[in-house]
Amino acid sequence: MIPATRNGLLLIGVVFHMVYLMSIFDIYFRSPLVHGMPPHRIELPPPAKRLVLFVADGLRADKIFEPHYNATTGQTEELAPYLINKIRTEASWGVSHTRVPTESRPGHVAAIAGFYEDVSAVTKGWKMNPVEFDSVFNESRHTWSFGSPDILPMFAEGASDRSRVDTFMYSSEFEDFSGNGERLDKWVFEEASRFFANASQPESQLGAMMKEDQVVFFFHLLGIDTNGHGFKPYSKEYLDNISYVDRGVQHLVEQFEAYYGNDGQTAYVFTSDHGMNDRGAHGDGHPDNTRTPLIAWGAGVARTVATRSKEPAPGHDAFSLDWGLSQYERKDVNQADIAPLMASLIGINFPLNSVGTLPIKYLNASGEFCARAAQTNALQVLEQYRVKHDQKQQTELFFKPYAPMHQATNSPEQILARIRQLIDMQRYEQAEQECSQLIKICLEGLRYFQRYDWLLLRSVVSMGYLGWILYSLLFIFKSYILPTPAYKHSENGSDSRRLSGSGLLTATAIILFTTFSLIFYKQHSPAMYYAYVAFPIYFWTDILQQLPLIQQICIGYLRMAVRWRPLAFVAIYVLVLEALVYAYFDRRVYSVAFGLLAAVWPLSVSPKFRRRHAQLLATWTVFCVLTSVFTLLPVERNDHLGLVVAGGTLITLSGLVAWHYSNLFTLPPPGVPAQQARKAVAIDRLVILVETLLVAIATVIGPVTSMETERRGHLPRLNQLACWVTLVVSTLLPFVHGSRLNQSARDQHYLYRLVTIYLAFATPFVLLTISYESIFYFSYSVVLLLWLSIERALYYEKAENELLAPTEQTRLSDLAIQRSVSSDAARPGSAQTFAAARTLGLSDMRTSIMFLFFVNVAFFGTGNVASLASFSIDSVYRLITVFDPFMMGALLLFKIFIPFFLVSAVFGVLNRSLELPPFSLFLFVVSTTDVMTVNFFFLVRDDGSWLDIGMSISHFCISSMFVLFVIVLFVLSHALVGRVLIPSTSQSSKATKKQR
């Protein structure tokens, strides 16, 4: 059952990991939506006829509430005096706590629909609805919305009656991050003025519609978010935009009051979808991203009452003590609580999928209204529980209900009866407490059903990952480690190392899979469940069929003279994998690892090696120490053009040095005329010089473009064109040059090729750099090249020290002198490669773990790949500023992946230098890194802080996709490296001395 080829194994590995990547969403993050519930509304006249919702996109709570020092006036001022005055006079206010991902779409869904969107919806896009859901807009009589084309359509398209929601939107090209975002909010306020002018026309149908009850006005204000991305939340542009929004809200409120004749029937809610960190990014669970303001006033909203005590009013903590509002109660809510609040104010049905809890403290209504509002909230959540309960009961074979909901003395029916009785007795506060308790139990019950299949699925997935590890390791043993032929078949074509009773095992596997399939069919389980079970059954059946091979491996181990060495290597390997798991949570682990590599590795080699390569080892130590600094630096960093120029200058100088000394490492390929070889070398050196020039241009034009953009308020078109041309030309140059090498069947010295790749990708990296990243690129690249040199030197020293016969030594030297490697097999007419006789050994485990280490350093060297928010979007503003999430995201990912291009190229050369079968080391890494994946699978969280939840998802996804990533790196190494000349270390030294 093990595939006879490497590609067959890789295909199974890719499919397996792609399928199992979805497992956490089926286990931990099943969609919370259920359908078929009856709607519920408060059966009393509502306190307001209309609702006005302001969402200031990207507004942090602290930035609007806290006073700020005005450098112009020399005084401390409030950025939003109108809204702050509302808090002091009539508004209820607090912090609205959001969940991850802290993006615009999920934030708006939570506030307007009342539920936290399915995490898997991230893969389906933020703009349109991946699933149907109910919302306040959908339940209103009519909604008019103004603002961004990124947000408004999803609520209009999702409405049960499309004509019920009108949208007024600017074009997407209007969202340009290089300019001041106030213009976006200005458009909304001006469009609102035109709207009121149209409604004021005599016999206007719009005016008649606006006079009805249960109508909603939604104003999406994107300017603050745009300025935050473009200039950072501490910038003058961001802070001034808050003041501009405050004035705009004041003007709009005055227009509403004037239009409706100050009838006191309008409720106002001001909030934000998410916050923003100091780098101008959001998306993760950082408190700056999850804390947003909530200010509500008008009809039906409780008025502020200042406390006369010297102690802060309820709700305050250290976060809000410096805001000057400590005498006014701070009423914090969860973001989903805003939806039932808005529904209560205008008397519409609560959104069917809402899991928010009505914040009673925000209501200014009779005791009966508040109690009945809480009762309606409880009924609406209970309906969701009942639907979920009935669905599970109908499908599960051995159904176990949620016990707290089925107690003999405290069932939901009994709680509802008590609530009705308390309301009839006018004991409203007690009724509200009972409603709150029922909502809590219902939400816990919904959570119980969300976790209902956890035990089964987590067991299946764990067995699948462990099965894959053993399955792929057995393939490696057969193909690359055992001295016997990789596939020894008997006369009838079967593998001789398989168990004779394999037919019985296959039949048992089929019966087991059929049993699970019947259970899943009865339970109406998702189709992915069948795949989750199929893989472990397949893997473990094959493993059991190979018991003779496992026995042979054990016998070989027992015959070893020194048995502790393999165990020690395996133990160290697993410990390093566990350390890399911890490094996902603390980047300083990489600094410690670099320190150990700098100090321990040079001391672990032989004295002869240290004497022969003293300068190489000393350089290794220096650059390991230098590179260790970067993982000690915070991922949150501000723009620093001086560091950008310094990094670009270092790379430019390194290119000039490489160009100057490149002729010292030239070895003419066998049979190539000297004149032709000199011409080829001249072309290679010219390419290096051109790429160095492009790096120098990027070093200058990048910072100049940033300064020009800031000065002019928009991205200069000429600068933008120059940046794009420089990036594209430099990126394509190594591929174009490599294709010409292949067409001419000419082999390029591997150092030339690596330097070409290093300089080619340095240009886009410098263009996309805002701080010290380019310095990291330089240091990291040097460490990779030194690693390659040390590994090559160690390998050839080992070959020299082999206790072989003189004739065998001569043959080995002949093979090691020089060879051109361009494909998996040697080219016709070339020397036979040593790979045919080379098998993986214990020392190759060190090379594999080093490769894995460097890949992880590329992940976390300048940021945290588990959270793209740690990489500033400012990186792309020299190339594009008009909001385009796909292009901006692609450029950001391109920058993040550039270090992987380097490590893949170096590892590709190293694999050939060590004369191993192609992909053998890559495959060993693929087989073992799922030790990390299993760790992350059990570390996935669906509760606790939203930072922890989001990071746990990212960690698992990164680790699970590593197999695909490594395959891409392997293919990329072949595409980048191409045909290269890899001489032995000894010959390189002789050639260098000869040229000197």
Side-chain angles (χ1 to χ4, degrees):
M1 291 175 66
I2 284 185
T5 64
R6 176 197 69 204
N7 293 338
L9 178 69
L10 292 177
L11 177 61
I12 291 176
V14 169
V15 174
F16 165 70
H17 284 85
M18 292 295 290
V19 169
Y20 267 45
L21 177 66
M22 304 306 298
S23 64
I24 63 167
F25 298 108
D26 281 328
I27 297 173
Y28 298 99
F29 303 105
R30 295 287 299 277
S31 174
L33 298 183
V34 291
H35 302 283
M37 298 82 65
H40 291 276
R41 72 169 67 188
I42 306 168
E43 299 300 334
L44 288 174
K49 291 182 62 176
R50 66 198 71 92
L51 173 77
V52 180
L53 172 63
F54 303 98
V55 176
D57 202 306
L59 177 58
R60 278 166 50 168
D62 57 336
K63 293 302 180 182
I64 188 174
F65 291 135
E66 67 185 7
H68 287 266
Y69 177 75
N70 190 326
T72 304
T73 62
Q75 297 179 346
T76 300
E77 301 173 349
E78 293 170 345
L79 293 178
Y82 175 75
L83 291 171
I84 297 300
N85 183 62
K86 286 293 181 184
I87 292 175
R88 294 193 173 105
T89 57
E90 60 175 305
S92 287
W93 72 286
V95 173
S96 170
H97 297 274
T98 73
R99 292 191 181 184
V100 290
T102 47
E103 299 288 351
S104 291
R105 176 191 168 88
H108 282 86
V109 169
I112 298 170
F115 76 93
Y116 302 104
E117 194 168 38
D118 182 3
V119 178
S120 63
V122 177
T123 62
K124 304 171 185 176
W126 290 131
K127 294 185 179 180
M128 300 309 294
N129 301 343
V131 291
E132 294 301 321
F133 59 84
D134 194 20
S135 71
V136 169
F137 297 171
N138 188 56
E139 294 292 350
S140 69
R141 191 179 304 278
H142 203 91
T143 294
W144 292 272
S145 55
F146 304 78
S148 168
D150 300 322
I151 298 300
L152 270 54
M154 69 181 180
F155 292 103
E157 298 297 332
S160 56
D161 182 357
R162 177 64 181 82
S163 62
R164 188 179 297 179
V165 180
D166 288 338
T167 59
F168 301 85
M169 303 176 291
Y170 41 77
S171 66
S172 57
E173 291 76 14
F174 204 47
E175 301 175 11
D176 190 338
F177 288 113
S178 63
N180 196 313
E182 280 187 9
R183 66 185 183 280
L184 302 176
D185 300 336
K186 181 180 179 182
W187 186 97
V188 172
F189 294 138
E190 290 178 347
E191 188 67 22
S193 296
R194 289 190 287 269
F195 176 81
F196 277 110
N198 293 333
S200 300
Q201 296 295 325
E203 299 182 359
S204 168
Q205 182 180 1
L206 173 62
M209 294 172 63
M210 290 176 62
K211 294 295 176 61
E212 295 179 342
D213 61 354
Q214 298 181 343
V215 295
V216 176
F217 301 87
F218 171 45
F219 299 94
H220 177 239
L221 307 170
L222 187 59
I224 294 174
D225 183 75
T226 303
N227 280 331
H229 287 308
F231 303 99
K232 305 296 184 295
Y234 48 79
S235 66
K236 182 177 184 299
E237 290 79 4
Y238 184 92
L239 302 178
D240 286 350
N241 204 158
I242 296 176
S243 298
Y244 181 77
V245 165
D246 181 69
R247 294 192 298 272
V249 169
Q250 180 180 5
H251 182 62
L252 262 179
V253 171
E254 291 171 353
Q255 286 181 297
F256 272 103
E257 294 301 322
Y259 182 82
Y260 287 108
N262 294 304
D263 64 355
Q265 295 294 307
T266 308
Y268 301 92
V269 175
F270 179 91
T271 187
S272 176
D273 53 348
H274 56 75
M276 184 171 290
N277 59 38
D278 286 338
R279 300 184 309 280
H282 53 81
D284 60 23
H286 191 281
D288 287 341
N289 296 331
T290 61
R291 293 188 293 217
T292 61
L294 175 61
I295 306 172
W297 71 96
V301 180
R303 303 177 68 88
T304 297
V305 178
T307 179
R308 297 182 179 180
S309 172
K310 294 182 179 180
E311 296 295 324
H316 285 277
D317 54 21
F319 178 57
S320 59
L321 288 181
D322 295 332
W323 295 350
L325 300 171
S326 56
Q327 67 271 42
Y328 305 102
E329 182 179 2
R330 174 180 147 190
K331 307 170 184 178
D332 285 11
V333 301
N334 292 320
Q335 193 172 42
D337 300 342
I338 298 175
L341 171 64
M342 294 190 295
S344 299
L345 289 172
I346 57 176
I348 60 176
N349 292 330
F350 280 44
L352 294 176
N353 301 112
S354 173
V355 294
T357 301
L358 175 65
I360 298 294
K361 287 185 176 182
Y362 276 77
L363 291 179
N364 178 24
S366 65
E368 181 183 3
F369 182 89
C370 291
R372 293 197 179 278
Q375 179 188 30
T376 303
N377 189 188
L379 284 170
Q380 174 263 324
V381 178
L382 177 60
E383 294 292 353
Q384 296 181 69
Y385 171 83
R386 285 171 170 167
V387 170
K388 195 73 173 177
H389 171 275
D390 293 344
Q391 288 178 350
K392 279 292 182 183
Q393 188 175 33
Q394 292 172 7
T395 58
E396 294 294 328
L397 290 178
F398 307 101
F399 176 70
K400 293 182 179 179
Y402 181 57
M405 292 290 284
H406 296 272
Q407 297 177 6
T409 58
N410 204 36
S411 65
E413 289 73 19
Q414 292 172 322
I415 297 176
L416 288 174
R418 287 203 300 270
I419 292 172
R420 288 191 292 268
Q421 183 180 13
L422 289 169
I423 292 175
D424 292 340
M425 297 171 61
Q426 300 185 2
R427 295 164 62 179
Y428 300 127
E429 290 188 4
Q430 289 181 263
E432 293 169 13
Q433 294 174 2
E434 289 283 351
C435 291
S436 177
Q437 183 63 25
L438 179 57
I439 292 173
K440 180 180 178 181
I441 296 175
C442 289
L443 293 177
E444 290 173 352
L446 287 172
R447 183 173 179 78
Y448 168 79
F449 289 123
Q450 289 288 103
R451 295 184 170 190
Y452 195 86
D453 297 324
W454 270 31
L455 179 60
L456 172 63
L457 290 178
R458 293 209 291 186
S459 301
V460 167
V461 170
S462 300
M463 293 301 293
Y465 277 116
L466 294 177
W468 161 255
I469 293 172
L470 293 177
Y471 174 83
S472 52
L473 283 177
L474 287 176
F475 178 87
I476 292 173
F477 268 96
K478 293 180 68 173
S479 303
Y480 305 123
I481 296 178
L482 294 181
T484 53
Y487 291 98
K488 183 178 180 181
H489 296 278
S490 62
E491 294 180 359
N492 61 6
S494 61
D495 193 337
S496 61
R497 295 187 222 179
R498 290 189 174 274
L499 200 64
S500 58
S502 59
L504 179 61
L505 283 173
T506 303
T508 304
I510 293 173
I511 293 172
L512 188 60
F513 178 74
T514 303
T515 302
F516 274 105
S517 298
L518 292 174
I519 295 173
F520 293 153
Y521 180 79
K522 171 65 171 62
Q523 296 177 352
H524 302 287
S525 298
M528 295 298 290
Y529 281 29
Y530 299 86
Y532 297 152
V533 168
F535 277 107
I537 292 176
Y538 172 78
F539 290 148
W540 285 100
T541 301
D542 191 271
I543 291 167
L544 292 175
Q545 288 178 347
Q546 295 189 88
L547 287 178
L549 172 61
I550 298 173
Q551 183 180 10
Q552 181 181 350
I553 295 171
C554 295
I555 292 173
Y557 167 73
L558 293 175
R559 289 177 178 174
M560 293 180 66
V562 184
R563 299 176 188 172
W564 63 268
R565 291 189 70 234
L567 294 178
F569 267 95
V570 171
I572 293 173
Y573 195 94
V574 173
L575 285 175
V576 171
L577 289 175
E578 293 298 324
L580 291 178
V581 169
Y582 184 75
Y584 275 65
F585 303 94
D586 190 342
R587 294 166 62 244
R588 292 175 297 180
V589 170
Y590 299 112
S591 298
V592 175
F594 270 118
L596 292 174
L597 288 174
V600 176
W601 200 17
L603 296 178
S604 65
V605 299
S606 66
K608 177 183 176 182
F609 186 91
R610 285 199 297 272
R611 290 192 301 270
R612 181 183 294 181
H613 303 283
Q615 186 175 359
L616 176 63
L617 293 175
T619 309
W620 165 262
T621 299
V622 170
F623 274 91
C624 277
V625 172
L626 175 62
T627 311
S628 70
V629 173
F630 295 99
T631 46
L632 294 175
L633 299 175
V635 296
E636 298 181 9
R637 53 188 177 274
N638 301 325
D639 294 4
H640 199 304
L641 296 183
L643 291 177
V644 175
V645 174
T649 303
L650 276 175
I651 298 173
T652 303
L653 292 175
S654 67
L656 292 174
V657 171
W659 172 80
H660 179 73
Y661 288 103
S662 57
N663 61 340
L664 298 181
F665 298 97
T666 302
L667 290 172
V672 177
Q675 183 178 359
Q676 183 179 347
R678 285 195 297 271
K679 181 180 178 182
V681 169
I683 294 175
D684 292 338
R685 298 188 73 211
L686 178 62
V687 171
I688 292 176
L689 194 60
V690 170
E691 289 182 335
T692 303
L693 178 62
L694 290 173
V695 175
I697 292 173
T699 303
V700 175
I701 198 173
V704 168
T705 301
S706 295
M707 291 186 290
E708 285 293 305
T709 301
E710 184 175 355
R711 184 175 67 85
R712 300 186 190 186
H714 67 275
L715 177 61
R717 186 59 59 88
L718 185 61
N719 291 62
Q720 182 185 27
L721 180 62
C723 289
W724 273 108
V725 171
T726 305
L727 181 145
V728 172
V729 170
S730 182
T731 303
L732 294 180
L733 192 56
F735 296 99
V736 174
H737 183 52
S739 65
R740 291 181 60 85
L741 292 175
N742 288 332
Q743 291 172 6
S744 63
R746 177 168 71 85
D747 297 314
Q748 186 183 33
H749 193 284
Y750 78 94
L751 284 176
Y752 277 117
R753 192 63 186 158
L754 291 179
V755 170
T756 301
I757 295 168
Y758 158 70
L759 292 173
F761 290 111
T763 298
F765 200 83
V766 170
L767 281 175
L768 296 169
T769 289
I770 64 170
S771 186
Y772 60 76
E773 303 101 293
S774 53
I775 303 177
F776 165 79
Y777 180 87
F778 165 75
S779 179
Y780 179 72
S781 302
V782 174
V783 169
L784 287 176
L785 184 59
L786 293 172
W787 172 51
L788 170 63
S789 302
I790 294 174
E791 289 284 6
R792 279 170 44 82
L794 286 171
Y795 175 64
Y796 287 111
E797 182 190 57
K798 180 181 178 181
E800 290 175 1
N801 294 333
E802 289 277 345
L803 297 178
L804 301 174
T807 55
E808 293 176 320
Q809 289 179 341
T810 304
R811 191 182 304 118
L812 178 60
S813 299
D814 291 340
L815 291 176
I817 289 215
Q818 177 176 299
R819 62 176 50 85
S820 298
V821 183
S822 60
S823 63
D824 287 3
R827 298 193 317 278
S830 66
Q832 180 186 0
T833 64
F834 183 63
R838 174 88 154 87
T839 59
L840 287 174
L842 288 177
S843 60
D844 296 316
M845 294 180 68
R846 182 199 65 236
T847 308
S848 298
I849 201 66
M850 290 280 283
F851 167 68
L852 185 59
F853 169 73
F854 282 119
V855 168
N856 278 269
V857 171
F859 271 127
F860 295 97
T862 60
N864 184 351
V865 173
S867 172
L868 288 181
S870 69
F871 296 90
S872 176
I873 195 67
D874 291 6
S875 305
V876 306
Y877 289 163
R878 295 161 192 164
L879 300 166
I880 182 173
T881 54
V882 176
F883 181 64
D884 186 337
F886 295 103
M887 178 59 73
M888 289 178 165
L891 287 170
L892 183 58
L893 287 173
F894 178 57
K895 173 194 173 183
I896 293 171
F897 286 155
I898 284 176
F900 299 110
F901 301 159
L902 293 179
V903 72
S904 66
V906 169
F907 197 62
V909 172
L910 180 58
N911 193 86
R912 304 178 192 187
S913 297
L914 301 184
E915 299 172 309
L916 286 165
F919 210 83
S920 56
L921 284 181
F922 278 98
L923 190 57
F924 182 76
V925 171
V926 167
S927 302
T928 54
T929 50
D930 275 331
V931 172
M932 299 172 61
T933 308
V934 173
N935 277 268
F936 290 127
F937 175 73
F938 283 99
L939 289 173
V940 171
R941 300 185 59 179
D942 67 338
D943 57 3
S945 77
W946 298 112
L947 174 62
D948 293 338
I949 293 173
M951 294 296 282
S952 68
I953 297 171
S954 300
H955 291 163
F956 173 79
C957 291
I958 291 172
S959 183
S960 185
M961 290 297 291
F962 192 80
V963 58
L964 181 60
F965 191 69
V966 168
I967 294 172
V968 172
L969 288 182
F970 177 72
V971 174
L972 187 64
S973 71
H974 275 264
L976 289 173
V977 175
R979 304 170 66 94
V980 290
L981 187 69
I982 305 179
S984 70
T985 306
S986 59
Q987 189 193 4
S988 297
S989 302
K990 292 176 182 178
T992 302
K993 292 178 181 177
K994 182 178 179 180
Q995 293 191 27
R996 287 177 180 172

